[in-house]
Amino acid sequence: MPRRVSTKQLLIACQMSFEGKSNREIASALGFTETTVSNWRKLEIWQEFEAELIDAHKQQALNLESATPS
């Protein structure tokens, strides 16, 4: 019987992906298959998490840029 993934696990997987981890590394860490992780990437919730991570990264970069003296 297939295991169900929690929202928290999806967020962790998305964060790992954002940090450059491969599907294989993510799958191994969370106990799922590479194919499953690949399928997660197609989910709307993954896309939303990814967009939030990108926005947060951009905001952090802008904050660092504005804090650096010219």
Side-chain angles (χ1 to χ4, degrees), residues 16-35:
M16 291 176 72
S17 173
F18 192 74
E19 294 168 357
K21 303 292 185 199
S22 68
N23 284 358
R24 177 175 288 159
E25 291 170 308
I26 295 166
S28 176
L30 298 178
F32 290 89
T33 66
E34 285 181 71
T35 302

Side-chain angles (χ1 to χ4, degrees), residues 31-46:
F32 290 89
T33 66
E34 285 181 71
T35 302
T36 298
V37 174
S38 179
N39 289 334
W40 290 347
R41 292 176 179 274
K42 300 170 191 169
L43 298 174
E44 185 176 339
I45 193 167
W46 181 285

